[in-house]
């Protein structure tokens, strides 16, 4: 968990449609994150995440925003290095894997991946630290 504190702070990715942000803060023995998009003056929360211990294992647990029925999906840490963290839940439809790869202290490449219609699909997110 200590190594993942590098995530703490605000991260921004510029897209053609606006900005995507992730904000992470330490709260007791876990990290809490929120992602949201900003288009012109409209801000929409996308999901909130708890990064902490679940059933004895370090887990990445997102919950989609705006859906009252949405429940957390737990992805367990399966691989880790000083700059890369991989979380996996092979029972989930999409994504099945979430990866965070850090480059220095101010760049982050995150991606999600899993099967869609029988082929591996990925969505990439390239963030810069804002604070």
């Amino acid at each position: 968990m200590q190594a993942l504190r590098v995530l703490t702070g605000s991260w921004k990715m510029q897209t053609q449609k606006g900005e995507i942000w992730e904000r992470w803060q330490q709260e007791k023995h876990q990290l809490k994150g929120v992602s949201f998009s900003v288009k012109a003056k409209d801000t929409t929360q996308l999901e909130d995440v708890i990064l902490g211990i679940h059933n004895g294992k370090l887990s990445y647990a997102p919950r989609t925003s705006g859906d009252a029925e949405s429940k957390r999906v737990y992805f367990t840490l399966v691989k880790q290095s000083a700059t890369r963290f991989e979380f996996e839940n092979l029972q989930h439809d999409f994504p099945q894997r979430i990866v965070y790869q850090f480059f220095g202290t101010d760049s982050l490449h995150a991606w999600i991946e899993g099967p869609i219609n029988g082929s591996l699909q990925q969505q990439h997110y390239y963030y810069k630290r804002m604070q």
Side-chain angles (χ1 to χ4, degrees):
M1 184 68 185
Q2 181 74 18
L4 279 163
R5 289 197 178 128
V6 68
L7 195 55
T8 303
S10 295
W11 300 84
K12 179 177 89 167
M13 178 178 81
Q14 188 67 46
T15 72
Q16 292 177 341
K17 296 180 181 180
E19 301 168 351
I20 296 178
W21 286 78
E22 282 195 12
R23 287 197 178 137
W24 292 89
Q25 65 184 26
Q26 179 78 37
E27 193 170 291
K28 297 184 182 180
H29 300 293
Q30 60 190 12
L31 291 178
K32 287 197 171 184
V34 62
S35 66
F36 55 94
S37 65
V38 178
K39 297 175 187 171
K41 294 183 180 185
D42 293 327
T43 301
T44 304
Q45 185 171 325
L46 303 172
E47 66 182 8
D48 69 276
V49 180
I50 294 175
L51 187 51
I53 303 299
H54 177 74
N55 291 335
K57 297 179 181 178
L58 184 58
S59 296
Y60 182 100
R63 178 177 57 193
T64 305
S65 299
D67 180 359
E69 298 298 315
S70 182
K71 294 186 172 145
R72 292 201 185 278
V73 177
Y74 292 88
F75 296 82
T76 302
L77 182 68
V78 293
K79 290 183 187 173
Q80 149 179 9
S81 72
T83 60
R84 183 175 167 136
F85 302 89
E86 294 183 33
F87 300 88
E88 194 171 79
N89 179 340
L90 298 178
Q91 279 65 53
H92 193 251
D93 54 359
F94 185 86
Q96 291 184 340
R97 184 172 293 114
I98 299 169
V99 181
Y100 278 76
Q101 173 79 50
F102 294 91
F103 297 94
T105 58
D106 67 344
S107 294
L108 166 62
H109 175 204
W111 68 93
I112 59 175
E113 63 184 36
I116 296 178
N117 297 324
S119 68
L120 181 66
Q121 300 293 314
Q122 295 182 326
Q123 294 176 8
H124 295 270
Y125 305 90
Y126 297 92
Y127 293 99
K128 287 289 187 188
R129 183 183 291 282
M130 294 291 107
Q131 64 176 23

